[in-house]
Amino acid sequence: MDWPSFFQSIANGVLIAGLYASVTLGLTLVLGVMGIVNFAHGELVMLGAYSTFWLFTMLGIDPLLSIAITAPLLFLVGIFVYRFTIRPILKDPPLNQLLLTLGLSIFLQNLAMILWKTDSRSVITSYSGMSLHLGMVHVGATRLITFAISVALTAVLIVFLHKMRLGKAMRAVSENNTGSWLVGINVQKTYMLAFGVACALAGVSGSLVSTIMYTYPMVGFKLSLKAFCILILGGLGNISGALLGSLVLGLTESFVGTYVPEGSGWAEGISFFLIIVVLIIKPTGLAGTRRE
Amino acid sequence: MRKDAPAKMTLLQVDRLTKHFGGLAAVHDVSFHVGEREIVSLIGPNGAGKTTIFNLVSGVYRPNSGDIRLGGESIAGLRPFDICRKGVGRTFQIMQPFPKMTVLENVVTGALFGRKPKVSMKTAEGEAVELCRLVGLGDKLKAFPKNLTVPDQKRIEIARALAVRPKLLLLDEVMSGLTPTETDEAIRLVLKLRETGATILLIEHVMKVVMGISDRVVVLHHGEKISEGPPFLVVDDPKVIEAYLGKMVDGEDEPAC
Amino acid sequence: MGSSIRWKTTLPLAILCAFLLLFPKLVGSYFLHLAVSGILAMILASSWDILARTGQVSVGQAGLFGIGAYSSALLYQRYALPPVLGMLAGALIATFVSIFLGYLTLRLRGIYFSITTIAFAEALTVIWLMTPDITGGAMGVSTPPLFGGDREKAYYLILAILAAVVAVVWLIEQSRLNFAFTAIRENEDVANVLGINPTKYKVLAFMISAFFTGFAGGFYSHYNTYIIPYEVFNLGVSIACLVMPIFGGLYTIAGPILGTVLIKAIEEYLRVTFSYGHQIAYGLILVLVVLFMPEGLLGLWRGKILPLFRSRPGR
Ligand SMILES: Nc1ncnc2c1ncn2[C@@H]1O[C@H](COP(=O)(O)OP(=O)(O)O)[C@@H](O)[C@H]1O
Ligand SMILES: [Mg+2]
């Protein structure tokens, strides 16, 4: 057995899982609180990535520092999107919600193509090439940093949902929105803020994406599909499932990439194959929670 | 007066039927039967498992154990559309007309698919018109369900269930939520059906209805059968009184089911 | 009275048919090309609508389109199968795949079905890119021009297929299938209890939809003379398939066709204006339709515009 490449695969899988988790968390928050699968979540990540890219290229702002800009920026975008498109369809049948967010997703993809062409862009910082050697394993500095930030983000989100007033309100709303209205939670406002927070998370994910992947108009859609795969693996609308699903996807991709001939090409399709296989075995997703 | 045939054939036989949802035994070891041309009421407090029994008989759920026989043939675990074609028609407690279909189209759908052998579109439509008249929707054929009153929506449910020409008709609380006058009309409708020779299993909590039209009553409580018999005997059964008592002392004139 | 109403519908229809048949004689090559791609899109839109009638919202029609396109092109390349037969073969292969996919996705409802269809089309792209020996890979497959480049013949062929689709939809609407499809779409559980076997009708709708989508794919490959995975399996194709009928008006004969005409016109304008991203109109239209006109243009026409016209003479 070639141990170095085995451990390297594990390390790569876990590190990319961090990024996937950060993308999926935003999706999970919206799904958990308001029961909507937001197809445009990936495009918000894409906007975050482009913002980071331009801040870096035009103003020389470090991509990790620009999180402080992309998060609030995307929060505002989120509030705007919520107010004018999501709020009117909160009570619509799920398929209408799907079509609406799919429409947003297509709109934003094409807007990006019009504004920035289809070129792949990348952010190369002074530390982009650096890597650490941990025993047999090499770990790129940017990957490690994005992983650390994703983990921190998850922790913050969990604390937020369990300890802060607004977070608790979101959890209450996700469990029972008639009841929470009775205990005085403003459901509409909670929805709006949950959507905004999810978009802010997308902004952060976008900044992270720009440091370790190419930024191009379709990057968001690719990430959305991976996030759907993770949701389906981990069960809809719960955080621990999302984390576990991210690990499964990250590791599977990384192992396929290493051990299957021409694996890096096949790895791109893993999430699609997993979606199909898992849903066929268990139509409600692996963890089996289903929102009606 | 209903003229009973001397030895009634059993149409529906439910045998030691059990259904669990997770840890909850919604229906536990329940047996009863419905004879041909009989009207049997299934009563019991809210959550007793009445609707679950309908769902089991109509094939919406599969039983965990036990058997259901229709005319001697086991139908337990068959798919709903097969059971329907074998002669079981049902209504839903929460009314579910097809919203984008007119009243007539709703009923035609039942006539077109719910029986064996299949009938032509023309026959189906003709019969559907008849059924709509029978239930009192004759002048609302082209209306959409959302524009109708609650009693009229219930009529759609009944007409649609009748359209499959059921040997056995399952009516789930078709009279709850009706005003006294509307209830009287509904009772007349059921009596009319009984005259045409229908076999009916009904879930009802309006005692006046249960007492007035049932040949027999089966009482469920916490998923188990606690009593069975003619209505006037069942209401005096101490176990039944106990099961209902908690609700009755609230001063309601009828037990909440 | 009865015959005058008949005239009102048959006369415009006859004029429309005559116009469509004479069209190639009236216009030049550019407009003929636009008409061919427009009719192709109408076929895709109507096929999507057939499937949607059973409540299955596919976001992966590109998968079936691509299978039709590749089957037909590869059969020509390997076995010199005549193009029209190739299109038929493509249609049949897509139908076969839809049976398989239909059964697999049967228990999936709503959004799960949609996500699986996206994954299906995307998975095909990956498979195609990764097995170049069989599929031609990223380089794609090319074929000689259809009918030696005679656009007029191509026009009549695709028009005939559109006529077939319209005929099939019309037959569905006249038959018991219409009741089964509608009942399943509106409430699958109730439909089931009323004696409708949802499996049978959902798979049937999928097959009909796949047949025409596959045929359209086969036609596209020969007409375009060149296909690559990124193009035929593209999300854009799947989106086009669904936006056009939604825009025009769902579950109708005219809706998908009307929607296609308008969207193609907008898209053609944008294609000239921007080099990329002309599908922005699709996204925008989808959002606007869901928010402001859930029954599409036809609904708008029936609900708002028609009454407006009607109320005039009364005043
Ligand atoms: N699909 C289901 N999943 C879980 N529990 C159910 C389901 N259907 C019914 N139950 C439970 O089974 C019990 C019996 O319900 P039901 O048959 O609807 O009662 P009834 O019609 O007598 O009021 C209730 O406790 C109900 O919550
Ligand atoms: Mg009930």
Side-chain angles (χ1 to χ4, degrees), chain B residues 51 93 172-173:
Chain B
T51 299
Q93 179 174 358
D172 196 344
E173 301 203 9

Side-chain angles (χ1 to χ4, degrees), chain A residues 98 103 110 236 262 279-280, chain C residues 107 111-112 116 130 276-277 283:
Chain A
L98 168 134
N110 285 278
L236 301 187
E262 296 184 65
L279 281 182
I280 284 161
Chain C
R107 292 188 298 160
I111 269 174
Y112 292 89
T116 308
M130 297 307 293
Y276 299 104

Side-chain angles (χ1 to χ4, degrees), chain A residues 15 132 134 139-151 212:
Chain A
L15 291 180
L132 278 81
L134 305 166
V139 178
T142 44
R143 294 204 165 227
L144 200 58
I145 298 170
T146 57
F147 179 75
I149 293 176
S150 300
V151 170
I212 60 173

Side-chain angles (χ1 to χ4, degrees), chain C residues 199-278:
Chain C
T199 307
K200 181 171 139 189
Y201 294 102
K202 282 165 101 174
V203 174
L204 181 67
F206 216 149
M207 288 168 64
I208 301 172
S209 177
F211 181 87
F212 289 113
T213 305
F215 198 103
F219 178 90
Y220 175 83
S221 74
H222 289 287
Y223 181 74
N224 202 47
T225 70
Y226 180 57
I227 49 172
I228 54 170
Y230 283 122
E231 199 179 314
V232 290
F233 293 120
N234 196 305
L235 174 69
V237 175
S238 303
I239 296 298
C241 289
L242 72 91
V243 176
M244 296 180 296
I246 289 173
F247 184 40
L250 292 172
Y251 325 132
T252 56
I253 294 182
I257 293 177
L258 184 66
T260 307
V261 173
L262 287 172
I263 289 193
K264 279 284 155 188
I266 298 171
E267 193 186 354
E268 193 57 25
Y269 170 75
L270 291 178
R271 198 195 297 279
V272 180
T273 320
F274 308 118
S275 38
Y276 299 104
H278 44 260

